[in-house]
Amino acid sequence: MSLPKVTILGAGHVGATTAHLLVLKGLADVVVIDVVEGLAAGKALDLLQAAAIEDLAVTVTGTTDLAAMTGSRLVVITAGLARTPGMSRDDLLAANANIVGPLADQITRLAPEAVVVVVTNPLDVMTHLVLQRTGFPRQRVMGMAGVLDAGRVRAFIAQRLSVAPASVQALILGSHGDLMVCLPDAITVQGASVSQRLSSQELDQLVARARDGGAEIVSLLKSSSAYYAPASGVVQMISAVLRGPRRVLPACVLLEGEYGLRDVCLGVPVELGPNGVERIIEQPLPPKAREALHQAAGQVRAQVKQLLSLRPSSS
């Protein structure tokens, strides 16, 4: 049985780990593309040999040639600069836009029917940029952030309470970064409200740690940022699109009136399936959470405006 083709743009830590997980799960034939000569080819060759050891009938190709993306069912954009200590996601804005924008143009040309998952930071703005440059419907362009942010919250709560992560459920909305919106009332542990197990102060501390989870990892690694958890988040989304069953997951998508917001890309719960975003799930929010979501939207709009102002000087 032929497998769908997934192209990963960027063979750095996130891209390579995403490719590895796709191969191990047998989800797709994988193409990895990177501008650095030999980087994608070397990692793809290693993965191809790993697939043989695992008895997996998948193909893995690595190249510098964007034409290898032709006809992809799904494209993942991980290409871009990673954060270093002291650097915010916003510091990456202009540099990564100059990488992601031209890649989006090539996706339009070579894989016009693809679903696109954006991982490059600043995530919300890059998702907006890809939507704008591809002209794809919003159902086929999404950013991976909420799965990662929720995973961090779940991991820290599970660690604190010595329970299995699968027993902890959490929902994260908003912008990937300082203005992520956590819904405490939606956090459960073994089916019961987290408030039965943790004080509001303890929960706030764990959520704050999750919010700064990327920076904490950057400070420890020194020369790179997180990649295992981001790759797992990407592959969970890809699995829902390529294999099913449909899943409700948080994703950064273009809002067109949902939650009282329009023309802005933010993280909200969506149902993912074969067409990408099958539907955006709008649920009632407490006033404080709604206000925080709108505040995050204001920040993303400001970043998009900043990007537009930078474009003439960066062309």
Side-chain angles (χ1 to χ4, degrees), residues 5 21 69 109 111 156 221 236 243 266:
K5 179 178 176 180
L21 289 172
M69 172 170 51
R109 183 173 71 88
F156 294 144
L221 295 179
Q236 188 174 77
R243 179 175 290 177
L266 275 182

Side-chain angles (χ1 to χ4, degrees), residues 112-156:
E113 302 302 320
V115 172
V116 183
V117 178
V118 182
V119 187
T120 306
N121 277 317
L123 188 282
D124 311 276
V125 185
M126 293 301 108
T127 302
H128 177 97
L129 177 62
V130 172
L131 266 165
Q132 184 182 62
R133 294 286 282 261
T134 60
F136 287 0
R138 66 172 179 162
Q139 290 82 1
R140 290 200 283 122
V141 178
M142 68 194 84
M144 192 293 298
V147 175
L148 172 60
D149 292 331
R152 286 172 171 161
V153 170
R154 292 173 57 228
F156 294 144

Side-chain angles (χ1 to χ4, degrees), residues 17-28:
T17 307
T18 298
H20 190 200
L21 289 172
L22 288 173
V23 168
L24 288 178
K25 292 175 180 287
L27 281 172

Side-chain angles (χ1 to χ4, degrees), residues 276-312:
V277 178
E278 302 288 349
R279 64 188 177 103
I280 294 173
I281 297 170
E282 191 170 8
Q283 59 186 53
L285 297 178
K288 186 176 180 180
R290 189 176 181 86
E291 180 183 352
L293 190 64
H294 281 245
Q295 184 181 357
Q299 183 190 64
V300 174
R301 287 195 180 101
Q303 290 174 321
V304 170
K305 185 177 180 180
Q306 180 185 352
L307 177 60
L308 292 174
S309 71
L310 291 172
R311 227 172 249 179

Side-chain angles (χ1 to χ4, degrees), residues 11 64 87 93 99 157 161 179 212 221 247 262 269 272 294:
T64 59
M87 180 183 286
L93 182 62
I99 295 170
I157 291 174
L161 296 176
L179 291 180
D212 298 329
L221 295 179
R247 292 193 62 172
R262 186 174 295 277
L272 294 182
H294 281 245

Side-chain angles (χ1 to χ4, degrees), residues 52-282:
I53 293 170
E54 299 285 350
D55 293 327
L56 296 167
V58 300
T59 65
V60 191
T61 305
T63 181
T64 59
D65 186 2
L66 286 168
M69 172 170 51
T70 301
S72 294
R73 171 75 171 84
L74 193 146
V75 177
V76 182
I77 303 177
T78 70
L81 302 178
R83 283 196 294 168
T84 54
M87 180 183 286
S88 71
R89 292 182 178 90
D90 294 350
D91 292 334
L92 301 176
L93 182 62
N96 281 348
N98 287 334
I99 295 170
V100 170
L103 288 177
D105 296 339
Q106 294 303 312
I107 293 170
T108 308
R109 183 173 71 88
L110 298 168
E113 302 302 320
V115 172
V116 183
V117 178
V118 182
V119 187
T120 306
N121 277 317
L123 188 282
D124 311 276
V125 185
M126 293 301 108
T127 302
H128 177 97
L129 177 62
V130 172
L131 266 165
Q132 184 182 62
R133 294 286 282 261
T134 60
F136 287 0
R138 66 172 179 162
Q139 290 82 1
R140 290 200 283 122
V141 178
M142 68 194 84
M144 192 293 298
V147 175
L148 172 60
D149 292 331
R152 286 172 171 161
V153 170
R154 292 173 57 228
F156 294 144
I157 291 174
Q159 184 182 50
R160 165 66 181 79
L161 296 176
S162 298
V163 298
S167 70
V168 182
Q169 299 301 317
L171 179 60
I172 303 297
L173 287 74
S175 175
H176 185 47
D178 294 340
L179 291 180
M180 81 175 203
V181 180
C182 180
L183 302 179
D185 291 344
I187 300 176
T188 61
V189 180
Q190 297 172 333
S193 172
V194 70
S195 62
Q196 297 181 19
R197 306 286 292 273
L198 292 173
S199 67
S200 59
Q201 182 180 6
E202 285 181 298
L203 180 60
D204 287 346
Q205 290 171 348
L206 294 174
V207 170
R209 188 182 178 193
R211 182 178 292 112
D212 298 329
E216 181 179 358
I217 291 172
V218 169
S219 69
L220 292 168
L221 295 179
K222 310 300 184 195
S223 59
S224 66
S225 55
Y227 50 94
Y228 292 126
S232 289
V234 173
V235 172
Q236 188 174 77
M237 295 172 71
I238 291 175
S239 180
V241 174
L242 297 185
R243 179 175 290 177
R246 296 185 181 191
R247 292 193 62 172
V248 174
L249 294 169
C252 177
V253 295
L254 178 67
L255 299 179
E256 295 180 340
E258 297 87 0
Y259 295 95
L261 295 167
R262 186 174 295 277
D263 298 326
V264 65
C265 292
L266 275 182
V268 294
V270 304
E271 181 183 302
L272 294 182
N275 298 308
V277 178
E278 302 288 349
R279 64 188 177 103
I280 294 173
I281 297 170
E282 191 170 8

